[in-house]
Amino acid sequence: QNIFTWSDDLDYTRANHSLKFGFIFNHFQDYILTRGNDKGVPAFGTIAGLLSGQLSSMTVVLPGGALDRTFHFNTMGFYAQDSWRVTPRLTLNLGMRYEPITTYVETHGIQSNIHNYLTDTNVTVGPYFLNPSLRNFSPRFGFAWDAFGNGKTAIRGGFAILYDLSSYGSELMNSAGYDSPFSSVFITPAGNGGSLTVPYVFPTNIPILPVYRGIDYHMDQPHMLQYNLTVERQLPGSMALTVAYAGPRGINLMQLR
């Protein structure tokens, strides 16, 4: 994996405002090589079948199957934030971040997907999924308040929407290994694998089935709502008491079905 990164940040203070601006741009070059099925994956339904060499199924890559992929894509982040001292007792932190990615592109065009599992009868050559990140606007809000003005009781809180742009690794591995017609992974129907021989020869009286695994073409963007509230109180004897609550809520998290 090669990653090329450009970034810059700017701080600017004016009156009661402390402003921050910045961006980051990452260019990824990911190389994936999926091995294992090319050696053959035998499955046995019972111990007796294992001991006698009677297969439940056999998964193989046929000659000519493409085992490697090269993906190029970009991630970006742009933000602006203001730490605003509204009064000597109240400070607000207001920010916005925009964090999109570009579509994952296999440089040799070796990728395909099933767009609709209910109606499609074959794969469509092209990107694994539609880009879900184009509306990745991430607001941030926080505050710090001196409750009684004597510097002994502080109440702080914050809220943010956070987006996950780096959760596609295992999904790309699965898709790259099982994206017909390029991977050419085939399996015998369960219970019809025949006898295990070396070299293995598919039984001539049963069909062999292409295997497909892929990312949901209409996948939603994984993100999280994060929030916290803290109360701090200075106590006698150089002691302090802190009571805090912090919570996240994950939405559209990646899952395997």
Side-chain angles (χ1 to χ4, degrees):
Q1 182 186 71
N2 298 319
I3 306 176
F4 303 88
T5 300
W6 297 266
S7 65
D8 198 9
D9 299 274
L10 172 67
D11 295 348
Y12 176 67
T13 301
R14 181 180 178 87
N16 295 334
H17 296 269
S18 179
L19 302 169
K20 294 183 178 181
F21 308 90
F23 79 93
I24 186 169
F25 180 91
N26 300 303
H27 176 66
F28 287 81
Q29 298 174 346
D30 276 357
Y31 178 75
I32 295 176
L33 177 63
T34 57
R35 303 302 295 267
N37 286 329
D38 56 313
K39 303 297 189 294
V41 181
F44 302 91
T46 64
I47 296 296
L50 170 64
L51 296 177
S52 63
Q54 293 301 306
L55 292 164
S56 172
S57 65
M58 172 66 91
T59 304
V60 300
V61 176
L62 297 184
L67 301 177
D68 63 335
R69 306 286 188 276
T70 301
F71 293 100
H72 287 191
F73 60 95
N74 305 311
T75 68
M76 292 158 279
F78 310 89
Y79 77 90
Q81 180 171 310
D82 182 12
S83 181
W84 175 25
R85 190 169 186 182
V86 183
T87 70
R89 294 171 51 189
L90 176 64
T91 298
L92 298 180
N93 289 287
L94 309 171
M96 177 65 74
R97 182 179 180 89
Y98 179 55
E99 200 166 20
I101 62 175
T102 59
T103 301
Y104 285 65
V105 175
E106 208 289 324
T107 56
H108 305 97
I110 308 176
Q111 58 185 141
S112 64
N113 197 292
I114 295 178
H115 292 185
N116 190 317
Y117 289 107
L118 298 179
T119 61
D120 289 6
T121 59
N122 208 336
V123 298
T124 300
V125 175
Y128 286 143
F129 58 95
L130 293 176
N131 190 342
S133 72
L134 301 182
R135 292 182 289 182
N136 281 4
F137 292 98
S138 178
R140 319 288 175 92
F141 169 77
F143 71 93
W145 180 40
D146 181 357
F148 302 108
N150 56 9
K152 294 185 177 182
T153 303
I155 302 176
R156 299 180 177 89
F159 171 82
I161 298 177
L162 308 175
Y163 293 94
D164 187 359
L165 300 182
S166 58
S167 59
Y168 304 124
S170 60
E171 287 76 10
L172 289 178
M173 287 289 291
N174 262 327
S175 296
Y178 299 90
D179 57 347
S180 177
F182 305 109
S183 64
S184 298
V185 178
F186 282 79
I187 188 171
T188 62
N192 292 290
S195 298
L196 180 60
T197 58
V198 180
Y200 177 74
V201 178
F202 275 114
T204 58
N205 60 333
I206 62 172
I208 57 173
L209 308 175
V211 179
Y212 173 82
R213 296 180 187 172
I215 304 177
D216 184 355
Y217 186 72
H218 301 281
M219 181 174 58
D220 293 317
Q221 174 66 57
H223 63 284
M224 180 173 67
L225 310 182
Q226 191 175 72
Y227 36 86
N228 64 83
L229 181 65
T230 302
V231 179
E232 294 181 317
R233 173 65 183 180
Q234 180 181 333
L235 301 177
S238 300
M239 295 190 299
L241 173 67
T242 300
V243 178
Y245 175 83
R249 173 175 169 77
I251 300 174
N252 296 329
L253 301 183
M254 304 291 283
Q255 54 185 311
L256 180 64
R257 294 185 177 179

